[in-house]
Amino acid sequence: MSVASVASRRYTTKAFDASKKITQDKIDELKALLRLAPSSVNSQPWHFVLAASEEGKGRVAKAAAGNFAYNEAKISKASHVLVLCARTDMTEAHLQAVLEQEQADGRFRSEESKATQHVVRTSYVNLHRFTQKDLQHWMEKQVYLALGTLLLGAASLGLDATPMEGIDFGVLDSELGLREQGFTSVVVVSLGYHSDEDFNAALPKSRLTEEVVFTTI
């Protein structure tokens, strides 16, 4: 199956079959995909919370109340739910942790190349922190790169998914204690298998034509 055909099959699920559960081997693949997702200068400014139990999904669902109550069932009836989070700051400790992992993985031929990598990455962080003053937004952009990887990966495994921004992220951050850990929630993704009640499953996919969205120069 081609990547394009997987993308053509993928859609946003509106209703899940609560009786169907994702096997652990597929969950492990999704976790691997998130770890391997690309990020600017390999900054990896993210954290992922996996709700795999009814209790865990219930905690996430607390953020789907009031104006966002329409999303509660998409959380409670899904097999698993992922909360994709961004760091609230790009700390020196995090930059050093990334650098040391790169060294452990054999990416540096010398201490000089290691030092250069740290200088370059820090310069990009400081560009967004001090010059463009959009560090938080920049880090959240990286999380959305991981989201795209997750959605395509889930479809390739025959799984259905629903990315959601219709969530009270303040409630979610508080419930999971994220800000105390240096993170904030950005998007929630429910995963599982669609039910027969999912009207969106039968609808044709609709996108603007190639002629509209591409210019060849």
Side-chain angles (χ1 to χ4, degrees):
M1 184 180 294
S2 70
V3 175
S5 64
V6 171
S8 179
R9 173 197 175 280
R10 192 214 65 78
Y11 76 102
T12 297
T13 300
K14 301 300 182 180
F16 286 94
D17 185 339
S19 69
K20 295 182 179 180
K21 301 300 180 184
I22 303 173
T23 58
Q24 188 59 47
D25 62 316
K26 290 187 176 181
I27 291 297
D28 290 342
E29 283 204 60
L30 293 179
K31 290 167 71 175
L33 284 171
L34 285 171
R35 283 189 56 251
L36 295 169
S39 61
S40 179
V41 291
N42 199 30
S43 54
Q44 305 172 63
W46 48 48
H47 187 76
F48 309 109
V49 178
L50 175 64
S53 65
E54 294 305 312
E55 179 185 1
K57 289 186 294 181
R59 294 181 66 187
V60 176
K62 290 180 180 180
N67 291 335
F68 305 117
Y70 59 87
N71 276 330
E72 191 279 334
K74 297 169 191 167
I75 295 171
S76 62
K77 292 188 177 182
S79 172
H80 292 68
V81 178
L82 273 162
V83 181
L84 280 61
C85 310
R87 300 189 64 84
T88 55
D89 189 18
M90 186 69 77
T91 64
E92 180 61 23
H94 175 71
L95 292 173
Q96 287 295 332
V98 171
L99 192 69
E100 293 306 318
Q101 186 63 56
E102 288 172 331
Q103 182 175 44
D105 291 334
R107 289 189 59 82
F108 305 126
R109 296 182 177 179
S110 66
E111 283 298 315
E112 181 181 4
S113 63
K114 178 182 177 181
T116 299
Q117 172 73 339
H118 183 58
V119 168
V120 170
R121 184 155 44 228
T122 301
S123 71
Y124 273 95
V125 171
N126 288 338
L127 171 69
H128 289 281
R129 190 196 306 276
F130 299 119
T131 304
Q132 298 186 7
K133 301 186 187 302
D134 66 343
L135 181 60
Q136 188 64 40
H137 184 54
W138 179 70
M139 290 190 291
E140 290 179 2
K141 284 181 178 179
Q142 314 316 311
V143 175
Y144 274 85
L145 291 178
L147 172 63
T149 300
L150 172 66
L151 294 178
L152 188 59
S156 73
L157 294 172
L159 304 176
D160 295 311
T162 305
M164 290 173 280
E165 292 181 319
I167 295 290
D168 189 327
F169 290 109
V171 169
L172 190 54
D173 284 2
S174 178
E175 174 63 28
L176 301 180
L178 293 173
R179 296 182 190 177
E180 294 84 352
Q181 302 174 62
F183 305 109
T184 183
S185 52
V186 175
V187 63
V188 172
V189 181
S190 291
L191 298 156
Y193 299 91
H194 72 270
S195 76
D196 293 338
E197 298 175 359
D198 182 8
F199 69 89
N200 209 26
L203 295 179
K205 201 175 189 76
S206 178
R207 294 293 189 272
L208 294 171
T209 66
E210 180 178 331
E211 290 75 19
V212 172
V213 298
F214 285 97
T215 297
T216 301
I217 59 174

